[in-house]
Amino acid sequence: MRRVAALALLAFAAGMTLAPAKAQAQSGDLCGDVREQLLVSDPLQKEQMQQSRHLSGDLLFGSSGTLRCLIDMLREPGINVTSTDIDPIQGHWLLRITGAIRSILTTRGTSAIREFRAADDLATTSVLAFAARSAEAGLRVNATLVLADVIDDSTVCVPIDHLYDPSLAATEGGTSGRINLIGVISVVAPWAYRPTYQNIERLLERLNADVKGKDLAQTKEVIANLQARLDFQKKTQKAPNMNSDLPFDQQDCTLYRPMWAGLNLRY
């Protein structure tokens, strides 16, 4: 894709070795190497694959193509996450893929964040948003930390939309998921451009109405933090982005069609 903006462990699940579609890779295929070295959980099977393929090099930290392969895996038909109802096989592979991405972003920092942003899209962000509000705690953590590293104006419309889902808090993991997604949006708030800034303002009205009079101390805390980070633009910046249109390379969200936000999400 397109954008470059500065922002500065593997959580592998054990057991299943069944992969989504495209599991069988041809010899010499980098993404096949990534799948086999990073995502195969059975130690004996992994050793046999590496010996038969003579794999070498540190794919996790040494290859600039590893992140692109992992992002492509998030788009595979075998993942196809369009709700919080993630089946065990999908969840298993999402946990492993997001764990690998998380480790790369943590270790390689800004350069990896730039690589991720250059390759991801709204569909990838949607998968991660559903994962960040899913029933499985480990997957929620991985997806949230990945999103918090890579989110920007060009993709933040997705978690904003998810926070308008009226069933969010009622789903398993939904209360934690709401906190996660608010935290993700908070990353963008201090530097959000005009459309994003206004979308967050409208979201805050909705969130405050949703939690009013309820015993949700942690949720209210992250909402207050989001408000404070949004207010940062008014209080401390001489030329805040809130007064500027989206840059050309940050306009992906203009093509996004919200599932829940309706006219509250405007570009």
Side-chain angles (χ1 to χ4, degrees):
M1 249 183 66
R2 61 308 85 201
R3 46 197 190 278
V4 178
L7 186 70
L9 23 143
L10 289 169
F12 283 174
M16 307 165 70
T17 58
L18 197 67
K22 300 185 185 177
Q24 300 303 317
Q26 305 238 341
S27 177
D29 174 27
L30 171 64
C31 291
D33 294 350
V34 170
R35 187 187 302 276
E36 292 175 6
Q37 285 202 23
L38 302 184
L39 304 182
V40 172
S41 57
D42 180 78
L44 179 59
Q45 184 182 4
K46 179 181 289 189
E47 181 180 358
Q48 291 172 341
M49 286 179 173
Q50 291 174 344
Q51 289 176 350
S52 65
R53 297 271 303 275
H54 304 291
L55 301 179
S56 62
D58 191 342
L59 291 177
L60 188 56
F61 307 120
S63 170
S64 61
T66 300
L67 265 178
R68 182 175 292 274
C69 291
L70 291 166
I71 291 168
D72 286 345
M73 290 175 197
L74 290 176
R75 302 185 181 114
E76 289 185 356
I79 297 298
N80 192 32
V81 175
T82 57
S83 76
T84 56
D85 185 20
I86 301 174
D87 70 41
I89 294 177
Q90 286 178 320
H92 169 76
W93 283 95
L94 275 173
L95 181 67
R96 299 174 69 75
I97 293 167
T98 55
I101 294 172
R102 174 185 169 188
S103 189
I104 293 170
L105 294 174
T106 299
T107 304
R108 293 180 51 211
T110 304
S111 64
I113 291 168
R114 285 198 295 263
E115 287 175 20
F116 190 100
R117 288 174 169 171
D120 74 338
D121 55 18
L122 294 173
T124 306
T125 308
S126 181
V127 171
L128 291 171
F130 276 119
R133 50 177 285 201
S134 65
E136 208 284 305
L139 180 55
R140 288 200 305 271
V141 170
N142 280 356
T144 300
L145 291 175
V146 170
L147 282 172
D149 271 345
V150 303
I151 201 75
D152 61 12
D153 279 86
S154 66
T155 51
V156 72
C157 52
V158 178
I160 290 175
D161 186 28
H162 276 250
L163 285 166
Y164 281 98
D165 181 358
S167 68
L168 174 57
T171 60
E172 186 178 358
T175 300
S176 295
R178 178 165 59 184
I179 291 170
N180 293 345
L181 294 176
I182 295 170
V184 167
I185 295 167
S186 296
V187 174
V188 181
W191 300 278
Y193 287 91
R194 183 188 293 118
T196 303
Y197 189 96
Q198 293 172 348
N199 283 323
I200 296 175
E201 283 188 313
R202 284 187 288 272
L203 175 65
L204 277 164
E205 292 180 12
R206 169 64 177 268
L207 291 172
N208 282 313
D210 286 346
V211 302
K212 186 176 181 180
K214 297 178 181 177
D215 184 18
L216 295 167
Q218 189 176 3
T219 304
K220 291 178 180 179
E221 183 178 342
V222 293
I223 292 173
N225 181 61
L226 175 57
Q227 182 69 68
R229 289 177 66 83
L230 198 65
D231 291 344
F232 171 84
Q233 293 212 40
K234 296 178 181 178
K235 296 177 179 178
T236 63
Q237 295 189 21
K238 294 182 179 179
N241 288 348
M242 60 177 280
N243 295 331
S244 301
D245 292 330
L246 288 168
F248 178 76
D249 62 350
Q250 294 276 305
Q251 295 184 7
D252 296 46
C253 279
T254 62
L255 302 176
Y256 182 71
R257 296 296 176 262
M259 293 180 281
W260 302 284
L263 295 177
N264 290 305
L265 195 60
R266 307 171 199 166
Y267 286 93

Short mmCIF file of all heavy atoms in Angstrom, two decimals, residues 2 10-11 59 73-74 99-100 126 142 156 164 182 201 213-214 229 233 236 238-239 248:
data_model
loop_
_atom_site.label_atom_id
_atom_site.label_comp_id
_atom_site.label_asym_id
_atom_site.label_seq_id
_atom_site.Cartn_x
_atom_site.Cartn_y
_atom_site.Cartn_z
N ARG A 2 0.72 2.19 0.96
CA ARG A 2 1.14 3.52 0.63
C ARG A 2 1.73 4.38 1.70
O ARG A 2 2.40 5.32 1.38
CB ARG A 2 -0.01 4.26 0.01
CG ARG A 2 -1.32 4.52 0.74
CD ARG A 2 -2.17 3.57 1.41
NE ARG A 2 -1.91 3.23 2.76
CZ ARG A 2 -2.36 2.12 3.31
NH1 ARG A 2 -3.05 1.29 2.60
NH2 ARG A 2 -2.10 1.83 4.54
N LEU A 10 7.14 -14.35 20.99
CA LEU A 10 6.16 -15.01 20.15
C LEU A 10 5.09 -15.63 21.02
O LEU A 10 5.37 -16.47 21.86
CB LEU A 10 6.84 -16.13 19.33
CG LEU A 10 7.75 -15.61 18.22
CD1 LEU A 10 8.57 -16.75 17.66
CD2 LEU A 10 6.93 -14.96 17.17
N ALA A 11 3.81 -15.30 20.78
CA ALA A 11 2.70 -15.83 21.57
C ALA A 11 2.12 -17.02 20.84
O ALA A 11 0.96 -17.03 20.43
CB ALA A 11 1.65 -14.75 21.78
N LEU A 59 14.23 -15.47 9.80
CA LEU A 59 13.07 -14.88 9.13
C LEU A 59 12.35 -13.89 10.03
O LEU A 59 11.74 -12.95 9.55
CB LEU A 59 12.10 -15.97 8.69
CG LEU A 59 12.57 -16.87 7.55
CD1 LEU A 59 11.53 -17.95 7.27
CD2 LEU A 59 12.82 -16.06 6.30
N MET A 73 -1.11 -13.47 5.04
CA MET A 73 -1.80 -14.58 5.70
C MET A 73 -3.08 -14.13 6.38
O MET A 73 -4.05 -14.89 6.46
CB MET A 73 -0.85 -15.25 6.71
CG MET A 73 0.29 -16.01 6.06
SD MET A 73 1.46 -16.65 7.29
CE MET A 73 2.87 -16.99 6.23
N LEU A 74 -3.09 -12.89 6.88
CA LEU A 74 -4.31 -12.37 7.49
C LEU A 74 -5.44 -12.22 6.48
O LEU A 74 -6.61 -12.14 6.86
CB LEU A 74 -4.04 -11.01 8.14
CG LEU A 74 -3.17 -11.01 9.39
CD1 LEU A 74 -2.92 -9.58 9.84
CD2 LEU A 74 -3.83 -11.81 10.52
N GLY A 99 1.04 -13.05 16.95
CA GLY A 99 2.19 -13.16 17.85
C GLY A 99 3.49 -12.90 17.13
O GLY A 99 4.39 -12.22 17.64
N ALA A 100 3.62 -13.44 15.91
CA ALA A 100 4.82 -13.21 15.12
C ALA A 100 4.95 -11.75 14.73
O ALA A 100 6.03 -11.15 14.82
CB ALA A 100 4.81 -14.11 13.89
N SER A 126 -9.52 -4.70 9.73
CA SER A 126 -10.79 -5.27 10.19
C SER A 126 -10.58 -6.61 10.89
O SER A 126 -11.17 -6.87 11.94
CB SER A 126 -11.74 -5.44 9.00
OG SER A 126 -12.97 -5.98 9.42
N ASN A 142 -2.61 -9.72 21.63
CA ASN A 142 -1.76 -9.62 20.45
C ASN A 142 -2.30 -8.61 19.44
O ASN A 142 -1.57 -7.74 18.95
CB ASN A 142 -1.63 -10.99 19.78
CG ASN A 142 -0.63 -11.90 20.45
OD1 ASN A 142 0.06 -11.50 21.38
ND2 ASN A 142 -0.54 -13.13 19.98
N VAL A 156 -7.79 4.13 11.10
CA VAL A 156 -8.46 4.26 12.40
C VAL A 156 -9.99 4.24 12.28
O VAL A 156 -10.69 3.99 13.26
CB VAL A 156 -7.99 5.54 13.12
CG1 VAL A 156 -8.56 6.79 12.45
CG2 VAL A 156 -8.33 5.49 14.60
N TYR A 164 -19.12 1.43 17.62
CA TYR A 164 -20.55 1.73 17.48
C TYR A 164 -21.41 0.47 17.46
O TYR A 164 -22.64 0.56 17.44
CB TYR A 164 -20.80 2.53 16.20
CG TYR A 164 -20.47 4.00 16.31
CD1 TYR A 164 -19.25 4.49 15.85
CD2 TYR A 164 -21.37 4.91 16.87
CE1 TYR A 164 -18.94 5.84 15.93
CE2 TYR A 164 -21.07 6.26 16.96
CZ TYR A 164 -19.85 6.72 16.49
OH TYR A 164 -19.55 8.06 16.58
N ILE A 182 -10.70 1.48 22.25
CA ILE A 182 -10.58 2.89 22.66
C ILE A 182 -9.10 3.25 22.82
O ILE A 182 -8.65 4.33 22.41
CB ILE A 182 -11.35 3.14 23.97
CG1 ILE A 182 -12.86 2.95 23.75
CG2 ILE A 182 -11.08 4.57 24.48
CD1 ILE A 182 -13.67 2.96 25.04
N GLU A 201 -14.47 12.91 18.01
CA GLU A 201 -15.35 13.74 18.85
C GLU A 201 -16.76 13.15 18.92
O GLU A 201 -17.36 13.06 20.00
CB GLU A 201 -15.43 15.16 18.30
CG GLU A 201 -14.22 16.02 18.58
CD GLU A 201 -14.44 17.46 18.17
OE1 GLU A 201 -14.94 17.68 17.04
OE2 GLU A 201 -14.12 18.37 18.96
N GLY A 213 -23.68 6.47 34.22
CA GLY A 213 -24.42 5.82 35.30
C GLY A 213 -24.10 4.37 35.51
O GLY A 213 -24.73 3.71 36.35
N LYS A 214 -23.11 3.83 34.80
CA LYS A 214 -22.76 2.42 34.93
C LYS A 214 -21.44 2.27 35.70
O LYS A 214 -20.59 3.15 35.67
CB LYS A 214 -22.64 1.76 33.55
CG LYS A 214 -23.95 1.77 32.77
CD LYS A 214 -23.77 1.15 31.40
CE LYS A 214 -25.08 1.18 30.60
NZ LYS A 214 -24.90 0.64 29.24
N ARG A 229 -6.19 13.08 25.21
CA ARG A 229 -5.26 13.03 24.08
C ARG A 229 -5.81 13.79 22.88
O ARG A 229 -5.05 14.39 22.11
CB ARG A 229 -4.96 11.57 23.73
CG ARG A 229 -4.11 10.88 24.78
CD ARG A 229 -3.88 9.41 24.47
NE ARG A 229 -3.08 9.23 23.27
CZ ARG A 229 -1.75 9.27 23.21
NH1 ARG A 229 -1.05 9.55 24.31
NH2 ARG A 229 -1.10 9.07 22.09
N GLN A 233 -4.34 18.49 21.10
CA GLN A 233 -4.18 19.29 19.89
C GLN A 233 -4.58 20.75 20.13
O GLN A 233 -3.94 21.67 19.61
CB GLN A 233 -5.01 18.71 18.75
CG GLN A 233 -4.55 17.36 18.27
CD GLN A 233 -4.80 17.15 16.79
OE1 GLN A 233 -4.61 18.05 15.98
NE2 GLN A 233 -5.24 15.95 16.43
N THR A 236 -1.79 22.36 23.20
CA THR A 236 -0.33 22.42 23.17
C THR A 236 0.28 22.55 21.78
O THR A 236 1.48 22.74 21.66
CB THR A 236 0.27 21.16 23.83
OG1 THR A 236 -0.12 20.00 23.08
CG2 THR A 236 -0.21 21.02 25.26
N LYS A 238 0.79 24.40 18.09
CA LYS A 238 0.62 25.67 17.39
C LYS A 238 -0.10 25.50 16.06
O LYS A 238 -0.84 26.38 15.63
CB LYS A 238 1.99 26.32 17.18
CG LYS A 238 2.67 26.76 18.47
CD LYS A 238 4.00 27.44 18.19
CE LYS A 238 4.65 27.89 19.48
NZ LYS A 238 5.97 28.54 19.24
N ALA A 239 0.17 24.40 15.38
CA ALA A 239 -0.49 24.13 14.09
C ALA A 239 -1.02 22.70 14.11
O ALA A 239 -0.48 21.81 13.45
CB ALA A 239 0.50 24.33 12.94
N PHE A 248 -2.72 13.11 1.17
CA PHE A 248 -3.09 12.21 0.07
C PHE A 248 -2.86 10.75 0.43
O PHE A 248 -3.65 9.88 0.07
CB PHE A 248 -2.29 12.58 -1.19
CG PHE A 248 -2.59 11.68 -2.36
CD1 PHE A 248 -3.76 11.82 -3.09
CD2 PHE A 248 -1.69 10.67 -2.72
CE1 PHE A 248 -4.03 10.98 -4.17
CE2 PHE A 248 -1.96 9.83 -3.79
CZ PHE A 248 -3.13 10.00 -4.52
#
